[in-house]
Amino acid sequence: MEEDFDLPAGDGMMNEDMDLPDESPILKVGEEKEIGKQGLKKKLLKEGEGWDTPENGDEVEVHYTGTLLDGTQFDSSRDKGTPFKFTLGQGQVIKGWDQGIKTMKKGENAIFTIPPELAYGASGSPPTIPPNATLQFDVELLSWTSVKDICKDGGIFKKILVEGEKWENPKDLDEVTVKYEALLEDGTVVAKSDGVEFTVKEGHFCPALSRAVKTMKKGEKVLLTVKPQYGFGEKGKPASADEGAVPPNATLQITLELISWKTVSEVTDDKKVIKKILKEGEGYERPNDGAVVKLKLIGKLQDGTVFLKKGHDNEDEVFEFKTDEEQVIEGLDRAVMTMKKGEVALLTIAAEYAFGSSESQQELAVVPPNSTVYYEVELVSFVKEKESWDMNTQEKIEAAGKKKEEGNVLFKAGKYAKASKRYEKAVKYIEYDSSFGEEEKKQAKALKVASNLNNAACKLKLKDYKQAEKLCTKVLEMESRNVKALYRRAQAYIQLADLDVAEFDVKKALEIDPENRDVKLEYKTLKEKMREYNKKEAKFYGNMFSKMNKLGPVDSNKSVS
């Protein structure tokens, strides 16, 4: 390509006023369509690969032949035998190129018809391109190198040298293994590693590494241009045993390769059960509540003492349990339900989710009180508990009844959160009953009423009064004269300070069952609350009026100066 073609010419053609399309036009081979609204046309000669197209800032490589509309050729990279490279969207070429080439896929071949407004305008490019010339370019997009401003502030530019695998990127908690080499702009090597592991959030060497690695895929290799704010800033860095000095306000060139990473996740919201994946599992399925799981397991204390070992010395001795049945410590139970078959993970479990404040004699050692424990777990296999959509009607009713009874046992043991989960599961089995027969609908309704009422009792114990009110309302939609639902909803309303509504429910319950002792006691509590509330109201307004009186009477005849 001639040098004068590399830069826009003519009418001061710059890219700020580009009218770009929102999407690349979908074309069939031989079809021509307009791109945008400025007269640029594209005719597809050969389809490209995949779906990706280059973006502004990417370094693209193309072959092209440029002609006038009468067929006169004025330039060709093919004739020169060397592909043409430029940075897309930076005004290094005419606007028609910047707009058109960003619609192409790798390997695609197309003819662009470019009006003078997007080419060399009224001036042309003498002697080869006349004024106001419409041009045609036969362009093949050979490849492109992605260059991204990853912090959107010009602080770190990332150029992909080798594409990575799959689509996942490391997160803050993950432990990454990388290779890197950091150079000053004059080529001086200041740091190098053939393999270092660090937690993304904690970072390594300079802030740019953790920022960049979160945008990378496994196996990806990049060149980073790092400005001082993501390097070592105004102060720079003195030399150390392993690393060279970085001068103040130095820009760095860092070659970075993401070799691998271990995914680390928080199993519980309070960050007291942490899972680090050592080996990825198969597929997408995970154990559900009630699944039977088989594990290889090593349990250790912080000092390395092994207190439990199963399935490693003898394949027949795998550790088996049923999830969500309190057969193991809560942290292990919850973590296993996040795993896939074949996955190997390291679990860190705080005492609250392990053996608590009590000493616990395990198979190989004693776990002291308040111990954080560590498990290396391999999920060998699991059989999920049958889901409702895999059951026939009678199985659904039986499963709902079983979950309700399990909830009752847990409620009596004071385990209200776990009981609540059982009642919710019971209702879920029979939630949709349109295919049920009449007798089955009666059974399902009775189970729904009982489970929702019992769940409301759990929510009251857990001080989740809004949910308790909602569950009672569901029951009253099915049975408007259910005294227990009115009574429990009134309890919730009292705690939510909706005293008038609570009084309505209590009175209605007493109309239906005047001798109900619990409802009578609740009415007494309600009246006391109302008296207390009225006293507070009277005191509040009394104080307010007293303050107003102290200000003295207002003279309505006095003018304001």
Side-chain angles (χ1 to χ4, degrees), residues 245-302:
V246 177
N249 296 310
T251 294
L252 299 171
Q253 296 286 324
I254 302 176
T255 305
L256 176 66
E257 182 180 354
L258 177 57
I259 298 167
S260 63
W261 77 85
K262 293 166 187 167
T263 302
V264 179
S265 56
E266 294 162 349
V267 176
T268 56
D269 292 338
D270 57 9
K271 305 178 183 179
K272 291 187 175 177
V273 180
I274 304 293
K275 182 183 83 164
K276 176 164 71 174
I277 297 176
L278 304 179
K279 181 188 157 200
E280 292 287 342
E282 307 164 13
Y284 298 96
E285 292 279 305
R286 292 178 172 86
N288 60 355
D289 291 350
V292 176
V293 299
K294 291 183 178 180
L295 312 174
K296 287 183 181 178
L297 190 69
I298 299 174
K300 295 180 182 178
L301 300 176
Q302 199 158 9

Side-chain angles (χ1 to χ4, degrees), residues 254-543:
I254 302 176
T255 305
L256 176 66
E257 182 180 354
L258 177 57
I259 298 167
S260 63
W261 77 85
K262 293 166 187 167
T263 302
V264 179
S265 56
E266 294 162 349
V267 176
T268 56
D269 292 338
D270 57 9
K271 305 178 183 179
K272 291 187 175 177
V273 180
I274 304 293
K275 182 183 83 164
K276 176 164 71 174
I277 297 176
L278 304 179
K279 181 188 157 200
E280 292 287 342
E282 307 164 13
Y284 298 96
E285 292 279 305
R286 292 178 172 86
N288 60 355
D289 291 350
V292 176
V293 299
K294 291 183 178 180
L295 312 174
K296 287 183 181 178
L297 190 69
I298 299 174
K300 295 180 182 178
L301 300 176
Q302 199 158 9
D303 64 4
T305 303
V306 175
F307 61 82
L308 182 67
K309 191 173 184 181
K310 292 284 185 183
H312 285 274
D313 300 325
N314 184 345
E315 293 287 332
D316 296 330
E317 281 188 7
V318 290
F319 189 66
E320 182 177 314
F321 69 93
K322 195 172 186 181
T323 60
D324 200 39
E325 291 283 349
E326 298 190 306
Q327 294 178 5
V328 294
I329 59 171
E330 186 180 355
L332 178 60
D333 202 2
R334 290 175 67 167
V336 164
M337 284 195 279
T338 71
M339 295 176 71
K340 301 172 188 171
K341 183 182 175 184
E343 184 178 317
V344 179
L346 181 64
L347 309 178
T348 303
I349 304 174
E352 295 93 315
Y353 293 92
F355 299 98
S357 56
S358 306
E359 183 177 276
S360 178
Q361 176 65 56
Q362 293 296 295
E363 192 175 274
L364 302 175
V366 172
V367 177
N370 301 310
S371 292
T372 294
V373 294
Y374 305 84
Y375 287 93
E376 188 175 307
V377 181
E378 180 182 344
L379 180 54
V380 177
S381 65
F382 61 91
V383 178
K384 292 178 82 169
E385 182 170 74
K386 207 170 185 181
E387 299 284 6
S388 60
W389 52 80
D390 292 323
M391 297 179 177
N392 62 37
T393 303
Q394 197 52 45
E395 284 175 327
K396 287 178 183 177
I397 290 169
E398 286 171 8
K402 187 182 172 191
K403 289 294 172 193
K404 181 181 81 76
E405 292 308 316
E406 287 174 6
N408 292 350
V409 171
L410 289 163
F411 185 89
K412 285 171 187 169
K415 295 173 180 176
Y416 305 119
K418 285 186 175 291
S420 175
K421 274 181 73 178
R422 294 296 195 281
Y423 294 133
E424 283 168 13
K425 194 82 184 264
V427 171
K428 209 173 248 184
Y429 280 124
I430 49 176
E431 198 168 7
Y432 304 106
D433 59 3
S434 55
S435 62
F436 290 18
E438 285 306 310
E439 187 55 39
E440 290 162 338
K441 280 184 179 178
K442 283 181 190 173
Q443 289 176 285
K445 182 184 171 184
L447 281 166
K448 280 183 204 171
V449 166
S451 297
N452 281 328
L453 278 173
N454 292 355
N455 198 4
C458 292
K459 298 298 184 187
L460 287 169
K461 292 282 189 185
L462 295 166
K463 296 182 167 51
D464 188 351
Y465 303 117
K466 284 190 176 178
Q467 280 302 315
E469 179 269 318
K470 283 181 184 176
L471 288 160
C472 293
T473 300
K474 280 185 182 178
V475 172
L476 291 164
E477 284 167 0
M478 292 184 277
E479 293 182 355
S480 62
R481 292 172 61 80
N482 188 297
V483 172
K484 271 189 184 177
L486 289 164
Y487 164 62
R488 285 179 188 161
R489 190 167 73 172
Q491 286 181 299
Y493 281 140
I494 288 169
Q495 296 301 327
L496 293 167
D498 287 339
L499 304 182
D500 292 338
V501 191
E503 186 178 28
F504 177 85
D505 277 357
V506 168
K507 283 181 173 177
K508 189 171 179 184
L510 286 172
E511 276 176 30
I512 298 163
D513 186 1
E515 301 306 315
N516 190 302
R517 184 171 170 273
D518 288 336
V519 180
K520 281 181 177 179
L521 284 170
E522 201 61 36
Y523 198 19
K524 190 178 175 185
T525 302
L526 175 62
K527 282 180 175 176
E528 284 169 9
K529 287 256 184 192
M530 290 179 95
R531 273 196 294 273
E532 198 179 299
Y533 179 76
N534 289 335
K535 274 183 192 174
K536 281 181 183 175
E537 287 265 286
K539 189 177 179 184
F540 172 77
Y541 285 111
N543 288 341

Side-chain angles (χ1 to χ4, degrees), residues 138-151:
D138 179 334
V139 181
E140 181 183 2
L141 178 57
L142 303 174
S143 65
W144 73 86
T145 303
S146 180
V147 179
K148 297 280 190 292
D149 177 3
I150 60 176
C151 297

Side-chain angles (χ1 to χ4, degrees), residues 531-559:
R531 273 196 294 273
E532 198 179 299
Y533 179 76
N534 289 335
K535 274 183 192 174
K536 281 181 183 175
E537 287 265 286
K539 189 177 179 184
F540 172 77
Y541 285 111
N543 288 341
M544 189 172 75
F545 288 127
S546 172
K547 283 176 185 175
M548 287 172 71
N549 288 334
K550 282 178 184 176
L551 293 173
V554 176
D555 186 346
S556 58
N557 295 317
K558 194 172 180 180
S559 63

